């Protein structure tokens, strides 16, 4: 399922200076807005959650998994990834990140397989290192496809 959601249309690589964490979430979510998986208010909800709850979207070293409630503007299961060349700090300097995932779901259960596959990928240190060092969209897509089911 992961390789069906993370494709050339939902993966981005950016070498942008001076990007802040709110902009990183917005950029990461753009493919999902474009394909109708989420509404713009979903992005605003993710930002509000971060402002209220702190950096709990930071799920591992240099990895963010941003999400909101299905009722905040999700139209189904979707996943996007923004890989930044430079660290962008989530909320504060203690939470630098280069991998910005955005997850959307239509209920509290249907996305669990996506989470499972994503966690399998993100617990593979070699693949995470490859993702963190990738310098183009094609490399990122290849790393993800090769990581599914391992």
């Amino acid at each position: 399922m992961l390789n069906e959601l993370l494709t050339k249309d939902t993966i981005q690589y950016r070498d942008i200076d001076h990007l802040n964490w709110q902009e990183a979430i917005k950029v990461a979510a753009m493919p999902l807005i474009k394909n109708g998986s989420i509404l713009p208010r979903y992005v605003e909800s993710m930002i509000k959650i971060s402002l209220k709850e702190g950096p709990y979207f930071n799920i591992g070293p240099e990895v963010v998994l941003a999400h909101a409630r299905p009722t905040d503007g999700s139209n189904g299961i979707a996943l996007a990834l923004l890989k930044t060349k430079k660290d962008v700090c989530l909320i504060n300097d203690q939470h630098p990140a280069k991998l910005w995932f955005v997850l959307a779901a239509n209920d509290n259960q249907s996305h669990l397989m996506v989470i499972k596959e994503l966690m399998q990928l993100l617990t593979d240190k070699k693949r995470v290192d490859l993702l963190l060092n990738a310098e183009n969209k094609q490399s990122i897509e290849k790393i993800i496809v090769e990581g599914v089911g391992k």
Side-chain angles (χ1 to χ4, degrees), residues 3 11 17 31 33 49 68 70-71 90 101 112 126 130 133 137 139-140 149:
N3 59 348
I11 295 170
D17 283 331
I33 291 173
I49 289 167
T71 55
L90 176 64
F101 291 91
L112 295 180
K126 180 182 174 191
L130 288 170
N133 292 303
K137 200 161 105 164
S139 297
I140 296 165

Side-chain angles (χ1 to χ4, degrees), residues 46-64:
M46 291 187 290
I47 291 170
K48 285 179 186 174
I49 289 167
S50 293
L51 289 170
K52 181 180 177 191
E53 303 297 331
Y56 91 98
F57 288 160
N58 184 199
I59 61 167
E62 300 198 82
V63 181
V64 168

Side-chain angles (χ1 to χ4, degrees), residues 12-29:
Q12 300 176 80
Y13 172 83
R14 297 288 169 93
D15 181 5
I16 303 172
D17 283 331
H18 309 296
L19 190 68
N20 67 39
W21 67 268
Q22 295 101 326
E23 293 165 333
I25 289 174
K26 288 176 183 178
V27 170

